[in-house]
């Protein structure tokens, strides 16, 4: 009877185990791989300017994806973030002339948070399916934005300096939006790992009955969660309007599907209980780099989209292979 | 007497151009004094969804329908059903192939041709341009592509360095041009399908020399043509107010005045900021109080009778 | 059993990532033989069953059936070769009705119904969705389905763990009959009484290793336990006696918990009893007599439709388990899957109640958390080799985590619903004293158990419930199995209701 | 009966809402009648097929984000093939396109099973792939549809012997929908395959232990979704007379209908009827809003509110139902 010792493992096995226990590593490796491919496709693109641009565009995506990650952890989803962000952006641009920058920023976050609270009440207290609830509040938000837009057509719009500076400016080559994003990301990562609230998100997502048994009133957590999601979406809208500098009525709406994609590519499960925000951030970067690839690929639009889809598939397939058990 | 009810069907929501179109319809209906109410079906959908909306409008008993068609052929069946019931149908912005409908459309092919020709001329008839199209698979984009290709054929030394679809989305257009600028591959001009002001911003923010840029007459871009140092460019008009013109045509038809032709094309104008004449046109057209996404050509002489205040108020009859 | 073995496994190895579940497992079963597979929680019994029936693949090892190599890739293939398991977890599809489940597994309905009847379940509706059935019924249906396919080798993995005593008797009878038909059974259970009444031999696993096979007979129990645990152990009675002296009862004292005329829905009607601090009060009942509802009401899951709950003399109303917890009432449910976050770590599972209130949503003091959690892990001796995810723990260790949580969070009244279900003898010997110890420190414990012998080992008194009412309250020294059994069937002499009522008013010394 | 109502409280509630809406419609627009029903049915067709496609995969425990894109592929394929070809050839086209749909679905399913990537990611990727394929087949809206195919959707059914005043209430499009769905769904529900789809959605480990070939069943479910998507694509071409390569708004609508229809995301529970009724409810809401000539922007608000409120009421009813 031999005792196969625990450390008597081949290097390959050990590498695999390491990758499995640190799922962020393969994700980052895949990201780097994509960048290398891009550089081969378009030599010279990998420069300071491009990196800056990529980060600039990845940040709003990663922030909206934070809303998806957090809600998905509880088995939910937030389809209203695209419109919530857009509303904040539009309100700030139209109110800045009237209220001044600080006032406009403060006022612009209110509707986003209200959408979040409405979601929280619907999902947490009335048990409406998050998908329907957030789809519904998204529609309601869209309508309200259009009505609001009617009332302010004559006032014109302008993007506050500070937001433009945050959205497009750079300091020592680094995008200024990092000033908002890095603390936010650190806070989210910390909150998920080291706070009671974070623990409860995972707990509710995996087994709500078990959480209840442990004395958790889940509606409280859900309400706080969706309100937070709305707030993050609102802040994202502000950063995004600073970046695009054109407050349109559908500004951040196109980011909705990619925000879900960034979270799932980063390893978050839509059924709840599994996922990390650091994975989501890398997922957002991967998607942004893929979009660039799609832009610089010279081929008909149809084949371009096919390539885009296939790359997403291959990247995640490789990732799954590397990280799965035995 | 103000007793007509007019139905409106539109399939894109949340876009400044379409908002202006709807406001022009409302303002014109009110200004005409002949419309009791407007019944507007306005949402994001496809041709099949528009069929549904038109049929609902028929059921609702409207006298005329002004429609911005999702594509030229897809809604013919419902248009036929409407005209069979004696309802007047006017297609605006985009033509339809159903012969019983009247068409009052912006000339999309000409839009692209005019701008592209100016651009190729501007870069001296040779060099490479970035071709930033609209949404892949959209009928209007296809029409514009025909115009662009026609101009391209006239300038054999002009090459398309890069062709992308912005999906008519500001953020996408901006990221695409920034990505392309980052590759460092030189190019001599940019043609856009209306996603224009973010392109100028991208050049300014990236600190690279501006190249000639062609866009639409959106308030934001027109303002930039007037104010951005070193920007040479041209705005091609693509009036959203064509909606108001459509309402006028529908009322005329209901009143029994048949126009000479079934199809009226509104031909675009080009305003460039190279010549003094062009500068004057642009300065006159500029309107910083408008939403940057709104085309500045808020009226079509001969077709619309409302005032600027009317269209900005965006109120229909009875509101 | 001289003839060639029907089933023979040798050198079976299986690892799950870092956890080596089986190192070198082997066993033999001859035709017509009932072999017990014994081992502590996490020894690898379930893993071996899964490998034999094709649910998972071994890393190495040889399995032969009737001398021929046995390679199956799915339980369906295994069934074709005559190997039919009843796994430790229910395997019926929860959202389908019973009939659809039978169709899916291609089980003939007639024999199935016959077995169900024989196993003591009456009034089963074939169009009932499975998720509405109680756990015990699910286990019986699993078994009936396995029997209906007339297996050569039947593998029963803790089949009886969740069953009340009456059903266990039926199961044993049916299993015993299998070997008369020259069929074999591999039988896993932590209950020695079952093993000695049923099995011919016992193969013992320890830490994934087959340490030997023992013929079951008088006196073999001590040997088996020694092999399982690798060391001689004190008997249960000794341990319990050492810690669990019944407290002298002070009648004046306000009871910790007083339940008056409690009812809930149709299942629970008019239950009254009292429980004092420092008392372990047993609850004894046959399947479905209202004990589930009683615990759910006391734990704040359901609102009672009538009656009162008093804690320390004050009337309380629970709207949510959180209210109950705030009042010191904590609940350990019978089905551990209800209580655990299977994908999270042992630590997070144990620490979960710490953060339930919004005031505690903030920063976690990791050091303090670790101390508390480790304390509870030590106290319950949880095998934390696979602590990264609770689902990788063996069933018994999972069960311990559900209790450890409340040891760490603090408890005044512990509502334990069958806590020793599926728990090995060593752990049981840890849990009884633990309950007694908690009681000795001033907590009270309400303990429902499906194993009647536990009542005398762990409890001070036992409340017997029949048909939603308290029919008797029996002191531990009188609560031998026959007495309890008779009471549980509602066969107490005298007017049970009155006696129970008297008891509630004026507890017997 | 009571037992049926109780166990199908969700469906009962949906039918009640539908009936209520029909009454409401009649009040708003007294002329609403057979022709209104006809256009309602025609409008519901593509949504109904999209919802059916989504229903199958959701029951199987998955989700398919590529449904609208597959509808676009099949729609343009049909339109291109029928462009300039004979009326009889269209029969072949229909068969071909249905097979194409099933094939696309099979590819989705195989990729999920083989790559072991979660369903949502695979079908998200395939959303782009199928969209690209549609664009490669047709750059801009175009193509044609056979006249008899278009005619299948128009007007009421005419059955000899039954007076027109009766048949007028049976729009061909509604009959077509019912027939297409039943031809696939009834055998599906009766088959072992159908059971297996519910089983893997309910608990795939238990299904595997019961002897279900989990992967094969999953691929089958996706293939069936592809088939329904192809039907959806075909009716798009039939109603518009052309093919359009840009996917319509059917993805979110299908998910919404599935959830509204009482199919549980995560799998195992629900049926086809619920989502179909939900589709009709959503369409009828839109009709009513058009009749009321509500300001178009308010329309969006009302639509969102109704969606949320319906589910809220449904949820409250469900809780009541369980209590009693
Ligand atoms: N403090 C409170 N304020 C407002 N409503 C409450 C409060 N506590 C409970 N409720 C109501 O009671 C219901 C139950 O909510 P509670 O938080 O107690 O349960 P839960 O944790 O959400 O679990 P479950 O939904 O599974 O019952 C809620 O829908 C809510 O309407
Ligand atoms: N899927 C898995 N992943 C990781 N580890 C596992 C897995 N399944 C089982 N194990 C580990 O393998 C060991 C053996 O588990 P197994 O379930 O076979 O024990 P058991 O003897 O059946 O215990 P019990 O009596 O508690 O049911 C345990 O340490 C367990 O943690
Ligand atoms: Mg086990
Ligand atoms: Mg509750």
């Amino acid at each position: 009877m031999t005792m196969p010792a625990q450390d008597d493992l081949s290097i390959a096995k050990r590498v695999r185990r390491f990758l499995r226990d640190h799922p962020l590593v393969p994700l980052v490796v895949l990201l780097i791989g994509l960048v290398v491919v891009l550089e081969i496709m378009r030599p010279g693109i990998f420069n300071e300017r491009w990196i800056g641009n990529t980060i600039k565009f990845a940040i709003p995506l990663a922030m909206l994806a934070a809303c998806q990650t957090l809600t998905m952890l509880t088995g939910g989803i937030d389809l209203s973030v695209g419109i919530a962000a857009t509303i904040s952006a539009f309100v700030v641009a139209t109110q800045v002339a009237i209220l001044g920058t600080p006032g406009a920023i403060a006022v612009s976050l209110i509707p986003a948070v209200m959408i979040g609270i409405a979601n929280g009440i619907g999902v947490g207290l009335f048990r409406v399916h998050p998908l329907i609830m957030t789809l519904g509040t998204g529609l309601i938000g869209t309508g309200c934005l259009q009505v609001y837009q009617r009332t302010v057509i004559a006032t014109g719009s302008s993007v506050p300096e500070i937001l433009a500076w945050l959205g497009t400016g750079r300091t020592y080559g680094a995008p200024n939006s990092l000033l908002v994003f890095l603390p936010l990301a650190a806070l989210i990562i910390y909150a998920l790992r080291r706070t009671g609230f974070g623990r409860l998100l995972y707990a509710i997502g995996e087994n709500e009955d078990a959480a209840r048994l442990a004395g958790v009133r889940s509606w409280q957590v859900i309400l706080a969660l969706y309100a937070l999601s709305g707030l993050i979406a609102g802040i994202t809208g502000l950063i995004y309007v600073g970046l695009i500098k054109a407050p349109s009525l559908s500004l951040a709406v196109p980011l909705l599907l990619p925000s879900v994609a960034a979270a799932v590519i980063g390893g978050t499960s839509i059924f709840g209980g599994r996922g990390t925000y650091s994975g989501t951030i890398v997922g957002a970067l991967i998607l942004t780099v893929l979009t660039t690839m799609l832009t610089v690929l010279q081929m008909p639009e149809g084949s371009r989209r096919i390539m885009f889809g296939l790359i997403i598939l291959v990247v995640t397939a490789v990732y799954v292979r590397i990280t799965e058990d035995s | 007497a103000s007793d007509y009810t007019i139905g409106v069907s539109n399939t894109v929501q949340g876009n400044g151009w379409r908002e202006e179109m709807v406001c022009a319809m409302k303002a014109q209906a009110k200004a005409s004094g002949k419309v009791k109410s407007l019944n507007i079906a306005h949402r994001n959908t496809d041709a099949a969804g528009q069929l549904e909306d038109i049929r609902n409008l028929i059921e609702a008993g409207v006298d005329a329908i002004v429609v911005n068609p999702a594509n030229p052929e897809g809604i013919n069946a419902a248009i036929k059903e409407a005209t069979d019931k004696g309802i007047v149908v006017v297609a605006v912005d985009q033509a339809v192939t159903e012969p019983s409908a009247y068409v009052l459309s912006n000339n999309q092919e000409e839009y692209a041709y005019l701008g592209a020709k100016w651009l190729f001329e501007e870069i001296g008839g040779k060099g490479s341009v970035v071709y930033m199209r609209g949404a892949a698979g959209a009928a209007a984009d296809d029409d514009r592509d025909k115009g662009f290709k026609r101009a391209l054929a006239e300038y054999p030394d002009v090459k398309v360095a890069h062709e992308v679809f912005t999906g008519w989305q500001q953020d996408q257009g901006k990221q695409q041009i920034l990505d392309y600028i980052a590759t460092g591959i030189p190019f001599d001009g940019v043609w856009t399908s209306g996603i224009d002001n973010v392109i100028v911003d991208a050049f300014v923010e990236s600190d690279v020399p501006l190249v000639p840029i062609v866009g639409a007459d959106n308030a934001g871009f027109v303002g930039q043509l007037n104010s951005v140092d070193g920007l040479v460019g041209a705005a091609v008009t693509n009036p959203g107010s064509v909606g108001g013109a459509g309402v006028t045509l529908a009322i005329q038809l209901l009143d029994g005045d048949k126009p000479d032709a079934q199809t009226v094309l509104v031909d675009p104008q080009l305003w460039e900021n190279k010549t003094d004449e062009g500068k004057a046109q642009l300065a006159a057209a500029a309107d910083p109080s408008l939403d940057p996404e709104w085309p500045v050509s808020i009226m079509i002489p001969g077709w619309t009778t409302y005032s600027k205040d009317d269209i900005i108020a965006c109120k229909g009859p009875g509101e | 059993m001289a003839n060639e073995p029907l089933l023979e496994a040798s050198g079976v190895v299986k690892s799950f990532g870092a956890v080596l579940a089986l190192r070198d497992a082997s066993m033999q079963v001859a035709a017509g033989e009932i072999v017990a597979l014994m081992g502590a929680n996490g020894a690898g019994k379930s893993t071996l069953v899964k490998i034999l029936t094709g649910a998972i693949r071994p890393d190495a090892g040889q399995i032969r059936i009737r001398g021929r190599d046995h390679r199956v890739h799915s339980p369906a293939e295994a069934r074709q070769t005559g190997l039919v398991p009843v796994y430790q977890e229910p395997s019926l599809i929860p959202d389908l009705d019973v009939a659809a489940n039978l169709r899916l597994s291609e089980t003939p309905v007639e024999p199935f119904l016959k077995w169900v009847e024989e196993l003591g379940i009456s009034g089963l509706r074939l169009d009932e969705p499975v998720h509405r059935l109680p756990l015990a019924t699910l286990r019986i249906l699993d078994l009936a389905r396995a029997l209906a396919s007339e297996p050569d080798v039947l593998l029963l993995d803790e089949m009886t763990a969740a069953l009340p005593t009456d059903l266990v008797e039926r199961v044993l009878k049916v299993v015993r009959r299998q070997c008369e038909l020259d069929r074999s059974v591999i039988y896993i259970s932590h209950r020695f009484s079952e093993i000695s009444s049923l099995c011919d031999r016992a193969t013992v696993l320890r830490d994934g290793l087959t340490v030997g096979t023992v013929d079951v007979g008088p006196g073999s129990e001590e040997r088996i336990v020694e092999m399982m645990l690798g060391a001689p152990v004190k008997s249960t009675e000794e341990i319990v006696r050492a810690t669990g002296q019944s407290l002298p009862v002070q009648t004046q004292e306000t009871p910790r918990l007083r339940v008056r005329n409690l009812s809930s829905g149709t299942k629970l009607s008019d239950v009254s009893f009292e429980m004092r601090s420092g008392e372990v009060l047993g609850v004894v009942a046959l399947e479905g007599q209202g004990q589930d509802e009683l615990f759910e009401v006391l734990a704040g899951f359901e609102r009672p439709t009538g009656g009162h709950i008093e804690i320390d003399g004050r009337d309380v109303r629970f709207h949510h388990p959180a209210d109950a917890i705030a009042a010191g009432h904590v609940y350990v449910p019978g089905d551990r899957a209800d209580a655990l976050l299977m994908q999270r770590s042992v630590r997070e599972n144990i620490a979960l109640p710490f953060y339930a209130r919004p005031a505690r949503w903030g920063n976690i003091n990791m050091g303090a958390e670790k101390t508390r959690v480790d304390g509870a892990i030590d106290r319950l001796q949880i095998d934390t080799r696979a602590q990264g995810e609770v689902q990788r723990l063996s069933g018994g260790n999972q069960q311990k985590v559900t209790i450890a949580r409340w040891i760490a969070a603090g408890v005044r009244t512990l509502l334990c619903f069958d806590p020793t279900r599926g728990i090995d003898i060593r752990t049981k010997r840890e849990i009884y004293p633990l309950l007694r110890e908690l009681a000795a420190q001033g907590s009270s414990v309400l303990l429902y158990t499906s194993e009647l012998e536990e009542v005398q080992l762990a409890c001070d008194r036992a409340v017997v419930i029949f048909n939603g009412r308290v029919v008797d309250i029996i002191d531990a020294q009188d609560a031998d199995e026959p007495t309890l059994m008779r009471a549980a069937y509602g066969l107490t002499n005298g007017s049970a209701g009155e006696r129970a009522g008297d008891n509630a008013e004026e507890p017997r010394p | 009966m009571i037992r049926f109502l109780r166990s199908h409280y969700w469906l009962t509630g949906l039918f009640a809402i539908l009936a209520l809406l029909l009454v409401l419609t009649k009040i708003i627009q007294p002329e609403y009648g057979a022709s209104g029903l006809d256009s309602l049915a025609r409008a519901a067709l593509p949504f109904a097929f999209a919802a059916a496609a989504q229903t199958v995969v959701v029951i199987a425990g998955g989700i398919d984000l590529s449904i609208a894109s597959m509808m676009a592929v099949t729609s343009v394929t049909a339109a291109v093939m029928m462009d300039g070809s004979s009326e009889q050839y269209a029969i072949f086209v229909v068969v071909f396109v249905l097979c194409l749909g099933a094939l696309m679905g099979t590819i989705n399913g195989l990729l999920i099973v083989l790559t072991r990537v979660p369903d949502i990611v695979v079908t998200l990727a395939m959303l782009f792939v199928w969209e690209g394929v549609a664009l490669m087949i047709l750059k801009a809206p175009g193509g044609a549809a056979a006249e008899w195919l278009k005619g299948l959707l128009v007007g009421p059914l005419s059955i000899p012997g039954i007076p027109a005043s009766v048949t007028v209430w049976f729009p061909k499009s509604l009959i077509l929908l019912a027939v297409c769905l039943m031809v696939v769904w009834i055998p599906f529900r009766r088959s072992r395959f159908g059971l297996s789809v519910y089983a893997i959605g309910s608990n795939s480990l238990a299904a595997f232990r019961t002897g279900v070939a989990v992967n094969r069943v999953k691929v089958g479910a996706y293939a069936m979704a592809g088939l329904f998507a192809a039907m959806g694509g075909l009716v798009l071409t039939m109603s518009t007379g052309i093919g359009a390569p840009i996917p319509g708004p059917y993805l979110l609508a299908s998910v919404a209908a599935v959830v509204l229809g009482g199919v549980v995301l995560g799998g195992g529970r629900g049926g086809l009827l619920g989502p179909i009724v939900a589709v009709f409810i959503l369409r009828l809401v839109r009709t009513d809003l058009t009749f009321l000539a509500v300001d178009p922007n308010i329309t969006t608000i009302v639509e969102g509110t109704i969606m949320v409120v319906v589910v809220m009421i449904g949820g409250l009813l469900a809780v009541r139902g369980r209590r009693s």
Side-chain angles (χ1 to χ4, degrees), chain D residues 116-319:
Chain D
R116 275 173 273 162
V117 173
D119 305 45
I120 184 168
V121 186
V122 172
T123 55
L124 178 75
M126 296 315 282
L127 173 155
F128 293 105
V129 171
W130 299 133
E131 204 176 281
V133 170
L135 273 174
M136 289 183 71
I137 297 172
L138 203 57
K139 275 203 339 285
E147 288 304 323
W148 68 268
L149 270 177
K150 289 200 238 173
L152 276 185
L153 299 186
V154 183
L157 197 68
S158 56
I159 309 166
I162 298 176
S165 59
V166 174
T167 58
V168 78
W169 293 99
F170 294 93
K172 279 191 212 161
S173 43
L174 193 61
I175 307 291
L176 180 83
L177 176 67
V179 168
C180 288
L181 292 181
M182 285 193 301
V183 158
V184 183
W185 193 258
I186 290 177
F188 168 79
R189 273 318 295 261
R190 304 229 158 141
S191 67
R192 198 179 124 86
F193 168 69
L195 267 185
S196 307
V197 167
Y198 277 84
I200 65 169
S202 180
N203 182 342
S204 66
L205 179 64
F208 170 68
R209 288 178 177 177
T210 308
V212 175
V214 176
N215 285 344
R216 235 177 296 160
V217 171
K218 189 162 227 179
V219 175
Y222 275 90
M224 213 166 122
L227 180 69
F228 279 133
M231 292 179 183
L234 268 176
V235 295
L236 279 182
T237 301
M238 284 156 71
S239 63
T240 60
I242 55 162
I246 304 181
Y250 303 107
L251 169 59
L252 275 182
S254 71
V255 180
V258 160
V259 176
L260 267 174
V263 179
V264 177
L265 280 184
R269 256 181 281 170
L272 184 60
L273 202 49
I276 301 295
V277 176
V279 162
F280 275 87
I281 289 175
L282 290 175
R283 290 301 94 208
L284 206 50
V285 165
R286 169 133 288 274
T287 306
D288 287 348
L289 290 174
T290 309
F291 286 172
L292 287 170
V294 184
D295 179 294
N297 301 314
I298 310 273
T299 308
T300 318
I301 301 176
V302 174
E303 224 173 3
T305 311
I306 288 180
M307 200 149 118
V308 169
V309 169
V310 163
V311 178
M312 255 180 212
I313 293 171
L316 290 180
L317 286 180
V319 171

Side-chain angles (χ1 to χ4, degrees), chain C residues 232-470:
Chain C
V233 257
K234 284 188 276 183
S235 80
T236 317
E237 282 80 357
E238 280 176 77
I239 296 167
V240 171
R241 293 283 127 72
T243 48
Q245 59 280 70
S246 278
L247 299 171
V249 176
Q250 296 141 12
T251 33
Q252 272 77 14
E253 184 198 9
T254 328
R256 169 85 183 112
L257 171 70
R258 180 167 161 156
V259 172
R260 282 189 293 134
N261 311 102
L262 201 64
S263 60
S264 165
T266 53
K267 283 293 187 62
L268 193 68
S269 41
D270 196 19
V271 164
S272 305
F273 63 85
E274 298 184 347
M275 178 163 68
R276 291 175 293 270
S277 319
E279 182 178 38
V280 179
L281 181 63
V283 174
V284 172
L286 301 175
E287 183 62 22
Q289 300 303 316
Q291 64 270 42
D292 307 51
E293 287 74 14
L294 174 65
F295 275 76
E296 278 177 4
V297 166
L298 291 179
F301 276 80
E302 291 288 333
R303 296 182 199 186
T305 47
H308 298 271
I309 303 172
E310 272 173 32
I311 294 183
D312 295 330
R314 256 176 303 126
D315 232 19
V316 291
R317 258 164 213 287
F318 301 146
H319 299 295
H320 188 279
D323 297 335
I325 291 166
H329 267 211
V330 306
Y331 180 39
V332 177
D335 188 352
R336 54 188 169 260
D338 288 345
L340 293 175
L341 309 173
M342 288 293 178
Q343 299 176 33
R344 309 305 300 174
S345 64
V346 169
R347 176 172 172 165
E348 279 182 40
N349 269 280
I350 292 179
L352 184 58
F354 303 174
Y355 310 112
R357 285 180 297 121
R360 305 293 309 277
W361 285 358
N363 185 37
I364 294 176
N365 181 340
M366 297 302 266
E369 183 192 85
K370 186 164 163 44
T371 316
R372 283 169 84 179
V373 169
D374 285 351
I377 290 178
D378 278 353
R379 195 145 163 210
L380 280 147
Q381 309 232 317
I382 298 173
D383 170 6
T384 52
R385 280 179 305 162
Q387 60 174 310
E389 284 184 19
V390 163
Q391 64 185 349
R392 297 185 185 169
L393 296 186
S394 71
N397 279 304
Q398 289 176 2
Q399 188 75 47
K400 288 195 213 167
V401 173
T402 62
I403 301 176
R405 166 187 291 173
W406 298 118
I407 305 286
V411 42
R412 295 185 63 202
T413 307
L414 185 64
L415 308 167
C416 264
F417 198 92
D418 222 4
T420 54
R421 176 186 292 178
I423 283 199
D424 70 36
I425 184 151
R426 174 173 50 188
T427 314
K428 266 184 206 164
R429 286 171 187 183
E430 289 155 10
I431 285 183
Y432 299 144
L434 183 83
L435 296 181
R436 297 259 31 130
E437 200 181 311
L438 279 174
Q441 288 163 2
S443 304
S444 22
V445 179
L446 189 68
L447 172 72
Y448 167 77
T449 172
S450 54
E451 282 180 76
L452 298 181
E453 60 178 41
E454 288 183 4
V455 171
Q456 276 190 313
L457 293 178
C459 303
D460 298 307
R461 295 182 303 152
V463 181
V464 183
I465 297 181
F466 178 72
N467 203 9
R469 295 168 190 278
V470 174

Side-chain angles (χ1 to χ4, degrees), chain C residues 16 21 41-47 88 158 190 392-396:
Chain C
F16 297 102
N41 292 133
K45 305 176 296 292
S46 298
T47 306
Q88 194 168 358
E158 297 194 28
H190 290 293
R392 297 185 185 169
L393 296 186
S394 71

Side-chain angles (χ1 to χ4, degrees), chain A residues 255-281:
Chain A
L255 285 186
L256 178 61
L257 193 59
S259 74
V260 177
V264 291
I265 289 175
T268 305
S269 156
I270 52 159
F271 297 117
R274 247 175 211 276
T276 59
Y277 187 51
S278 39
T280 302
I281 296 173

